[in-house]
Amino acid sequence: MERAKFILDEKDMPTQWYNIQADLPEPLPPPLHPATGKPLGPDDLAPLFPMELIMQEVSQERYIDIPEEVQEIYRTWRPTVLHRALRLEKFLDTPAKIFYKYEGTSQAGSHKPNTAVAQAYYNKKEGIKRIATETGAGQWGSALAMGCMFFGIELKVYMVKISYEQKPYRRILMETWGATCVPSPSPDTKAGRDILAKDPDCTGSLGLAISEAVEDAMNRDDTHYSLGSVLNHVMLHQTIIGEETIKQMEMADAYPDIIVGCIGGGSNFAGQFLPWMRDKISGKKPDLRIICVEPQAAPTLTRGPYAYDFGDVAGLTPLLKMHTLGHEFMPAPVHAGGLRYHGMAPIICHLYNLGFVEARAVHQLDTFESGLTFARTEGIISAPEPCHALSVAIEEALKCKETGESKNILIAHSGHGHFDLAAYDAYLSGKMQNYEFPEAKMKEALAHLPEVSSA
Ligand SMILES: Cc1ncc(COP(=O)(O)O)c(C=O)c1O
């Protein structure tokens, strides 16, 4: 009988995060100061982040110890299970072996607590009493609400208004863990008020919510800012996923030919694939394919230029070299709220430009069709974001059926969709539609990229 799951003992949970910066063939382009355009120093970031996270952001150490206090909380849901999708394989009638590492079993229902707990810990250690953050669909806000609850930190969350209205359950989750959550744009910040004055019905964007949270943190001495994706230290914390998976794939006596995951800011997928990247960079497994999947409605890697841009609408954040749709990007209301961001993790963009990872953009309807297939074979109702990964994984498994190849396909599955049932309802009732990102909108957004002389 084939095994359906691979369970790592708690005592075998990895105790270090992996830092890809130690192994990059070329260093990352540095972040630049938003006002001067000069490379940032640690002190520039000190009003926003604890020093240990700032040092992790630029660290060249290959491995970084996971603090005991963080490990202790990780163990409340980690190690997560690696599944073999035997029923999906049978349904597709494919010779491919499909594995998925499922992060939906954390208390918040996604991979986000892997960094939320670590970030709350380092802030607590530095004596910080309050954190401000943004959230799209509410996954990050709820994960950080949980992290802050564990360490007794107050949290204010600026939630993209369209999700705040469409997804009240995630707000309630945040409030249950003790956080305060307001819709963004909000009247609480200048960035929010400026937008509301121009467009009182603005449904918000992640870039705008980031501006509000950063402004909040900059205006209060007791408050830091926290970001749930994009930055190097966030990718670092998520590598616990891939480090566990490597041990579990050994238990399955299999090595992946293809690893596929969805990318919004890049953290869940980077967390899975960066530890495997060691073998690709060193030349041990040059043929390993890593496929990043994004929505056609926010095609950052596949269509956005590689340029320095702000992480937020108001231009308060450092300038990051990344593929971008322009920081003023207002996304179409696709259900995968976590994939509606204009930028992408500099680490992923760098690896994409060095040719180590591939990218694909998919349509919303195809992703939900795959989500339904997955629910009706494996039983798991996936969040709209990982449905993007499922869609490409199924496509690759069907290619194997045509060629007769028995490839190992590993899916980074970032979370469950129990709070996204309205999206499934829209799909099942035929009300869902596809959105393409129009070329004209792209040109408009890119016309406002900041000018950077040293880039
Ligand atoms: C379940 C889930 N998957 C994926 C993402 C996308 O973010 P990232 O690319 O940082 O993993 C999100 C973001 O909210 C999410 O909630």
Side-chain angles (χ1 to χ4, degrees):
M1 201 174 62
E2 298 268 27
R3 282 181 70 177
K5 54 189 192 307
F6 301 88
I7 298 173
L8 206 58
D9 203 89
E10 245 177 78
K11 70 173 172 25
D12 297 322
M13 189 181 82
T15 56
Q16 292 182 314
W17 293 303
Y18 168 60
N19 180 14
I20 187 85
Q21 293 195 66
D23 292 323
L24 287 173
E26 291 170 28
L28 283 171
L32 305 179
H33 194 285
T36 63
K38 298 268 179 310
L40 273 188
D43 289 346
D44 295 320
L45 293 171
L48 294 180
F49 300 105
M51 201 39 84
E52 287 200 60
L53 290 180
I54 295 171
M55 296 326 283
Q56 287 178 3
E57 195 61 20
V58 294
S59 170
Q60 302 294 313
E61 292 277 312
R62 185 167 287 114
Y63 295 101
I64 294 180
D65 288 339
I66 306 175
E68 189 50 54
E69 294 87 336
V70 174
Q71 286 187 44
E72 206 178 283
I73 296 176
Y74 275 1
R75 277 192 224 104
T76 62
W77 80 94
R78 304 208 71 86
T80 58
V81 174
L82 175 73
H83 299 258
R84 169 97 183 265
L86 291 167
R87 288 168 175 275
L88 176 62
E89 289 171 19
K90 194 163 171 213
F91 173 80
L92 298 174
D93 190 24
T94 173
K97 293 191 177 78
I98 306 175
F99 297 87
Y100 60 99
K101 174 75 163 169
Y102 184 50
E103 291 293 305
T105 50
S106 74
Q107 294 90 325
S110 77
H111 64 292
K112 302 270 180 184
N114 295 329
T115 185
V117 169
Q119 292 194 42
Y121 165 78
Y122 289 115
N123 274 291
K124 177 76 180 182
K125 217 174 141 199
E126 205 167 278
I128 284 296
K129 303 264 183 305
R130 182 176 176 274
I131 293 179
T133 197
E134 72 293 327
T135 194
Q139 289 270 22
W140 168 243
S142 48
L144 190 60
M146 178 188 117
C148 286
M149 174 278 292
F150 278 124
F151 291 102
I153 298 174
E154 195 188 324
L155 177 67
K156 174 147 179 192
V157 183
Y158 295 85
M159 183 172 186
V160 176
K161 195 195 268 170
I162 187 167
S163 298
Y164 184 91
E165 286 164 357
Q166 284 177 354
K167 301 188 177 183
Y169 291 113
R170 286 223 168 263
R171 167 180 61 76
I172 299 165
L173 213 55
M174 291 180 236
E175 289 170 352
T176 305
W177 273 314
T180 306
C181 178
V182 295
S184 166
S186 80
D188 302 1
T189 65
K190 181 177 179 307
R193 286 190 297 274
D194 284 354
I195 294 276
L196 286 172
K198 273 192 255 165
D199 177 9
D201 299 324
C202 177
T203 52
S205 73
L206 212 47
L208 176 56
I210 293 175
S211 296
E212 292 208 79
V214 169
E215 185 186 322
D216 179 321
M218 288 200 307
N219 286 338
R220 285 181 61 155
D221 285 344
D222 65 345
T223 301
H224 266 170
Y225 168 69
S226 168
L227 187 62
S229 191
V230 181
L231 299 178
N232 303 341
H233 67 263
V234 181
M235 308 295 125
L236 174 81
H237 301 154
Q238 294 292 354
T239 59
I240 180 92
I241 304 174
E243 292 290 14
E244 281 180 9
T245 312
I246 287 174
K247 294 186 177 197
Q248 290 164 308
M249 287 297 280
E250 272 168 21
M251 290 162 81
D253 198 19
Y255 194 97
D257 296 294
I258 299 174
I259 311 181
V260 50
C262 66
I263 49 164
S267 71
N268 88 89
F269 192 36
Q272 174 59 263
F273 81 70
L274 290 177
W276 298 94
M277 191 57 80
R278 277 178 298 223
D279 285 354
K280 202 166 158 75
I281 290 178
S282 71
K284 199 168 139 202
K285 292 282 178 187
D287 298 336
L288 169 62
R289 288 180 59 204
I290 291 164
I291 310 177
C292 303
V293 191
E294 59 187 13
Q296 286 276 2
T300 318
L301 271 192
T302 49
R303 286 177 57 197
Y306 189 35
Y308 271 99
D309 198 4
F310 297 108
D312 69 321
V313 170
L316 300 176
T317 69
L319 291 159
L320 301 174
K321 181 104 186 255
M322 59 187 177
H323 283 268
T324 177
L325 300 170
H327 60 280
E328 292 179 0
F329 170 67
M330 282 288 162
V334 285
H335 289 275
L339 308 185
R340 288 190 296 219
Y341 184 58
H342 68 274
M344 184 54 58
I347 285 181
I348 292 195
C349 296
H350 189 58
L351 290 168
Y352 181 61
N353 281 278
L354 292 174
F356 286 111
V357 303
E358 306 166 36
R360 290 235 204 120
V362 292
H363 273 301
Q364 164 157 274
L365 283 167
D366 295 336
T367 67
F368 275 89
E369 185 188 339
S370 303
L372 227 66
T373 302
F374 197 70
R376 291 177 182 180
T377 51
E378 295 298 309
I380 289 175
I381 297 184
S382 307
E385 293 86 0
C387 287
H388 288 66
L390 296 176
S391 174
V392 169
I394 290 174
E395 201 183 304
E396 291 295 327
L398 291 174
K399 276 189 205 156
C400 288
K401 183 174 168 178
E402 274 170 33
T403 60
E405 286 171 292
S406 169
K407 289 189 178 162
N408 294 324
I409 300 174
L410 170 62
I411 302 168
H413 193 308
S414 53
H416 70 65
H418 297 180
F419 297 104
D420 301 287
L421 292 179
Y424 279 85
D425 193 34
Y427 179 76
L428 290 167
S429 61
K431 289 189 192 127
M432 187 179 281
Q433 62 180 98
N434 282 334
Y435 295 96
E436 195 103 21
F437 188 56
E439 199 54 41
K441 232 178 135 185
M442 172 89 83
K443 286 210 179 94
E444 190 187 306
L446 298 181
H448 298 110
L449 281 184
E451 280 189 27
V452 176
S453 53
S454 56

